[in-house]
Amino acid sequence: MEALRLVWDEAFTAYDFGVEHPMAPIRLELTARLADALGLLDAAGVHVVSAEPASDELLLTVHAADYVEAVRRASTRPTLGDLKYGLGSSDVPTFPGMHEASARICAASREVALAVWSGQAEHGVNFVGGMHHAMPAAASGFCVYNDVGVAIHALLEAGAKRVAYVDVDVHHGDGVEKMFWDDPRVLTISLHENGRVLFPGTGFPEEIGGPAAEGEAVNVALPPGTSDAGWLRAFHAVVPPLLQAFEPDVLVTQQGCDSHVLDPLAHLALSVDAQRASYEALHDFAHRFAHGRWVAFGGGGYEVVDVVPRAWSHLIGIAAHRPVPPGTDVPAAWREYVSARCGRPAPQRMTDGANTDYRSWATGYDPADAIDRVVLATRKAIFPLHGLDPYFD
């Protein structure tokens, strides 16, 4: 068994909305280069794969036929963007080859998910994926096709009875939630900045799933300014109890790193160290609650030098069972490349030097604490539906 099935190929940088768009493909290139410089891409047990664009048949497992056709039209004639489908907006400008670039990500995500499910690989990572905002019939939030939805659907079709999805992107994982809103086989948990102040404006505690799946959609809407200790307290107060109760066959996660304090598009204040700590925890949860099966995706992240490459290199190392110690020096060759390529200095170490200690929920609820109030609102909405106590479990 491979330790890690990892997606990378420079072809994925074709997912490119243009030089002014925040979702710059250089973040993917720099991540792959840093992971390589750290010795992760050629480590024992790591198998790096690419993919051809997904077929329409695969895309239609989660997307409407008329939407796929609209993406194809916009892909060949970008001036024919259609706002009815979210194509041609400032968030999702059209570009030549949009269909192929987006479909390739979906095929890759399916590939790593099925490699994990079949036992070919213990873990799978596609850091170029994580397009969690794409809706069944519309593009949204920089996302054209929802590769996470494709991967989860493929796991269900392959025989998984229960799939747990944990999304730690700073934005609500609305597209994935929508796709499985009324499916009791899929538990979606999203920790994100409050939708009253951040796109997409959804993801509140009372959004708990459809009539056939009440309690299967879980939303933790954190206040702006939430930093490491508060975020980790909320994460551990919600995620592990629900995973233990749900007993998933496989854990799927989205590691958007736009929760970092330096990210230009949001207002949380995490360090790379807290993000790394959450990846370590999710890896542990996969082994404790999901038979060791873990499929992880990238997602948002718009501080393309200081944050994204370090965060996702930590993710790759953890998934490969070769974690990079936080105090590791960033390889000099990578820093030199960043200086030449980007005209700016690169970080010196794989850490922000932050303390990742947090108070466990077991210490008790503090009604004066804004984060505790958020956590309790989510636990009250969800925990009883899983046979759990909102205050004490």
Side-chain angles (χ1 to χ4, degrees):
M1 179 188 289
E2 301 162 11
L4 173 63
R5 181 74 60 92
L6 175 68
V7 173
W8 174 243
D9 186 316
E10 288 190 5
F12 290 101
T13 61
Y15 192 88
D16 186 355
F17 293 114
V19 294
E20 300 300 322
H21 197 280
M23 199 167 193
I26 192 174
R27 69 198 191 118
L28 307 177
E29 176 200 344
L30 293 181
T31 297
R33 282 180 173 270
L34 179 56
D36 190 32
L38 290 164
L40 298 174
L41 299 193
D42 58 1
V46 175
H47 182 200
V48 180
V49 298
S50 184
E52 294 300 313
S55 66
D56 283 6
E57 180 182 8
L58 180 59
L59 298 174
L60 293 175
T61 60
V62 297
H63 289 294
D66 59 333
Y67 173 59
V68 174
E69 182 55 34
V71 175
R72 281 189 174 279
R73 287 196 303 270
S75 185
T76 56
R77 299 180 64 187
T79 57
L80 295 181
D82 191 337
L83 292 178
K84 171 186 174 183
Y85 297 105
L87 301 169
S89 66
S90 58
D91 274 2
V92 189
T94 55
F95 62 90
M98 170 186 275
H99 167 79
E100 290 77 14
S102 305
R104 188 186 302 275
I105 295 170
C106 289
S109 292
R110 175 184 180 274
E111 149 82 8
V112 296
L114 293 183
V116 169
W117 180 252
S118 68
Q120 296 176 57
E122 188 168 17
H123 305 320
V125 171
N126 181 11
F127 64 85
V128 308
M131 306 298 177
H132 63 163
H133 293 307
M135 293 290 176
S140 178
F142 312 164
C143 304
V144 179
Y145 294 138
N146 197 314
D147 65 297
V148 181
V150 166
I152 292 174
H153 186 275
L155 288 166
L156 295 171
E157 287 291 298
K161 303 299 183 185
R162 290 179 303 280
V163 177
Y165 171 67
V166 179
D167 187 319
V168 300
D169 195 287
V170 79
H171 303 92
H172 176 220
D174 57 339
V176 180
E177 180 184 273
K178 173 76 171 179
M179 288 174 173
F180 302 101
W181 179 254
D182 205 33
D183 190 334
R185 300 172 298 171
V186 182
L187 173 71
T188 64
I189 306 175
S190 178
L191 292 91
H192 48 266
E193 187 174 350
N194 193 303
R196 292 187 177 89
V197 295
L198 191 69
F199 176 90
T202 54
F204 298 102
E206 60 270 20
E207 298 170 31
I208 64 171
E214 288 190 348
E216 305 303 297
V218 183
N219 288 290
V220 184
L222 295 162
T226 297
S227 56
D228 291 355
W231 191 96
L232 288 167
R233 175 169 165 83
F235 173 86
H236 285 281
V238 172
V239 177
L242 289 174
L243 293 181
Q244 184 172 21
F246 188 66
E247 297 182 327
D249 296 317
V250 57
L251 177 63
V252 178
T253 64
Q254 198 263 25
Q255 265 68 55
C257 54
D258 40 8
S259 56
H260 195 276
V261 65
L262 295 180
D263 196 273
L265 299 189
H267 319 97
L268 296 191
L270 270 63
S271 65
V272 163
D273 303 278
Q275 292 173 334
R276 181 187 185 280
S278 74
Y279 306 164
E280 286 273 25
L282 289 167
H283 178 226
D284 176 57
F285 298 161
H287 285 281
R288 285 168 58 193
F289 307 129
H291 314 283
R293 301 185 186 110
W294 183 29
V295 183
F297 301 111
Y302 309 101
E303 202 335 293
V304 301
V305 170
D306 286 340
V307 178
V308 178
R310 289 189 298 159
W312 290 348
S313 290
H314 278 305
L315 173 66
I316 293 166
I318 290 164
H321 293 147
R322 293 177 173 271
V324 178
T328 301
D329 288 336
V330 173
W334 187 81
R335 289 190 285 109
E336 291 166 4
Y337 180 80
V338 167
S339 178
R341 179 84 161 79
C342 305
R344 56 180 281 192
Q348 298 284 321
R349 301 172 74 207
M350 292 295 292
T351 178
D352 287 336
N355 182 340
T356 57
D357 292 342
Y358 66 93
R359 285 190 308 116
S360 165
W361 188 257
T363 62
Y365 164 64
D366 180 0
D369 186 283
I371 295 172
D372 274 20
R373 293 195 297 271
V374 165
V375 170
L376 186 60
T378 298
R379 287 172 60 111
K380 280 185 170 181
I382 298 296
F383 274 36
L385 297 169
H386 291 268
L388 301 172
D389 187 300
Y391 287 94
F392 299 111
D393 282 318

